[in-house]
Amino acid sequence: VIDVAVSGLPMRRTEVFRLQHAELSGHANRLEAVLTVSALKGNEGAVRDALTSFSAVLSSHAAQEDDRLYPMLFNHANPQVRSEARQLHADFGIIYSAVEVFIAVWSRDDALESEPERFIHEATGVISTLRQRIARENDELYARIDAL
């Protein structure tokens, strides 16, 4: 089934997931904008709110991939597609768990205030990891799905 976008042109099968990636990237950009001690100071509540929003978007995206995307790939006729899907899904489980811990730690009251340098370091790593994952999904997995 091919969805038709508002323009009347066919949408890629992965368009919704790609749009979610763009939304996640926007959240990452907003977090990056405050990754200095001076920018954090006095804005800790807003940063915690941004982490909560980021977490909600990421959780929704992961659930949709788990419900709609990966089952199709796990049962695909092509063994290479099945194998790649299993590997990516396993990798993401590790990444997602790390992000959950990161958000839980830094969403606590006073965590940002007490260790801003550590938050900046960890946030930079999490954002980098997620950007790499998003690029890999967009460029490899989603490209393969759209070509099916």
Side-chain angles (χ1 to χ4, degrees), residues 54-75:
F54 181 76
S55 177
V57 171
L58 183 61
S59 293
S60 174
H61 174 70
Q64 288 180 49
E65 281 188 337
D66 281 348
D67 292 344
R68 296 174 34 206
L69 183 68
Y70 280 104
M72 172 188 72
L73 298 174
F74 293 155
N75 294 309

Side-chain angles (χ1 to χ4, degrees), residues 95-109:
I95 293 168
Y96 187 67
S97 294
V99 171
E100 281 184 323
V101 169
F102 167 79
I103 290 172
V105 167
W106 294 108
S107 295
R108 291 188 335 259
D109 288 342

Side-chain angles (χ1 to χ4, degrees), residues 46-146:
V47 172
R48 278 189 284 278
D49 290 345
L51 288 173
T52 299
S53 295
F54 181 76
S55 177
V57 171
L58 183 61
S59 293
S60 174
H61 174 70
Q64 288 180 49
E65 281 188 337
D66 281 348
D67 292 344
R68 296 174 34 206
L69 183 68
Y70 280 104
M72 172 188 72
L73 298 174
F74 293 155
N75 294 309
H76 196 274
N78 184 328
Q80 184 177 356
V81 170
R82 290 193 310 264
S83 176
E84 182 179 342
R86 280 192 297 274
Q87 182 62 51
L88 284 169
H89 191 262
D91 291 348
F92 188 67
I94 294 166
I95 293 168
Y96 187 67
S97 294
V99 171
E100 281 184 323
V101 169
F102 167 79
I103 290 172
V105 167
W106 294 108
S107 295
R108 291 188 335 259
D109 288 342
D110 298 330
L112 295 169
E113 293 86 346
S114 65
E115 296 186 84
E117 294 89 357
R118 182 173 152 224
F119 169 74
I120 291 166
H121 175 74
E122 290 182 13
T124 300
V126 165
I127 291 168
S128 175
T129 299
L130 285 173
R131 285 192 194 284
Q132 289 171 17
R133 172 57 186 224
I134 286 171
R136 185 171 175 206
E137 282 188 351
N138 284 347
D139 298 344
E140 296 175 24
L141 179 64
Y142 294 173
R144 180 184 299 274
I145 292 167
D146 290 339

Side-chain angles (χ1 to χ4, degrees), residues 20-40:
Q20 291 170 352
H21 280 173
E23 184 178 5
L24 285 166
S25 292
H27 282 278
N29 291 342
R30 286 186 288 285
L31 283 172
E32 282 179 323
V34 296
L35 291 184
T36 65
V37 174
S38 61
L40 277 174

